[in-house]
Amino acid sequence: SMSEKDMIHFVRNYAVSDLFHSPDRVKHWSSIERHMILANRMTHNNKEAALNKYGGDQGFRAEDVGVFTPRHNVFGGQTGTEAASSPDIFVRNYNRSTSEFWRYAAAEGIQNNVSWTRNWKSMIPANASGQYPVKHVAEYLWEYFMADGLKNFGPLERAQVYSLLEGEVSLQFRLDENDQYRVITSQEAQSDPTIVNLVQSLGNQNMALSSSNSESRKDANYRVGTAINFIVATPFIFVQEGQ
């Protein structure tokens, strides 16, 4: 019924059509799939691809799986449901984002005698005013990695991502640097006036992703990396919902 036969247009419509794809779909990622997705999301140009900064199999091998090591008739040795329901896999993924935080946070470096610089401005679109407010960047990053329509970007997740983007410190540190292990609930993040006002203020701050000052740009890109470490350490990274 298309007035003009356009294959690309057809494929795009097919990809979002509820005739073939249910919004109730749930897909659990295996360790291999999750690491491939993250490597794809983090690699932005041919130089990074050539340096293999975010690829390789070290990540999923650390989770005791291998592409060509089938077990119980499963290619890769693990189903997505097994990965998503394993406390051990969750801990290994979490540790990768914390003890090896530099992997996604580093804003520049030298690898194989080749210098590289992280530039999230090339991926994150500015807002209508040409700026990069924390709220805008946070929502882009969550959707970029989770693709859930911000469904799971709850008040607690939002508060922590805002805090990291604005100053690379946790929400707990901002509230009381002497009590950094305080447990903050989603209910507190949503109803505690101190937290609510703080988060709103953080969300309005602009990031220096397009600054003419190289040090300011580097700092902004580093803070984006710290927020990514938090995002990919959450349980939501193990599953994709919807179409």
Side-chain angles (χ1 to χ4, degrees), residues 36-50:
M36 289 179 67
I37 290 169
L38 294 179
N40 178 272
R41 292 290 187 268
M42 291 298 299
T43 303
H44 299 164
N45 54 56
N46 289 335
K47 175 189 280 190
E48 293 173 357

Side-chain angles (χ1 to χ4, degrees), residues 119-236:
N119 179 24
W120 276 101
K121 179 188 173 185
S122 69
M123 300 298 297
I124 305 174
N127 69 2
S129 302
Q131 297 178 317
Y132 294 88
V134 165
K135 179 179 185 294
H136 173 81
V137 174
E139 292 183 351
Y140 174 88
L141 290 174
W142 187 272
E143 187 67 4
Y144 185 64
F145 286 95
M146 299 300 185
D148 64 359
L150 304 180
K151 173 184 176 181
N152 295 303
F153 198 32
L156 185 57
E157 291 78 17
R158 188 178 290 270
Q160 293 288 9
V161 173
Y162 281 19
S163 186
L164 290 165
L165 287 175
E166 198 279 335
E168 67 193 67
V169 295
S170 68
L171 179 66
Q172 287 90 331
F173 183 89
R174 289 182 184 276
L175 294 172
D176 184 352
E177 61 184 77
N178 296 314
D179 187 15
Q180 297 184 47
Y181 293 99
R182 168 186 171 185
V183 175
I184 300 174
T185 66
S186 293
Q187 182 61 34
E188 284 181 284
Q190 192 171 14
S191 61
D192 186 314
T194 300
I195 298 177
V196 171
N197 292 335
L198 173 61
V199 171
Q200 184 175 2
S201 174
L202 294 174
N204 292 330
Q205 303 303 309
N206 285 315
M207 299 191 67
L209 289 171
S210 60
S211 172
S212 58
N213 184 290
S214 61
E215 286 301 312
S216 295
R217 288 198 311 273
K218 182 175 76 171
D219 179 61
N221 279 281
Y222 178 82
R223 283 186 271 144
V224 168
T226 64
I228 291 170
N229 274 317
F230 175 86
I231 291 170
V232 302
T234 65
F236 307 114

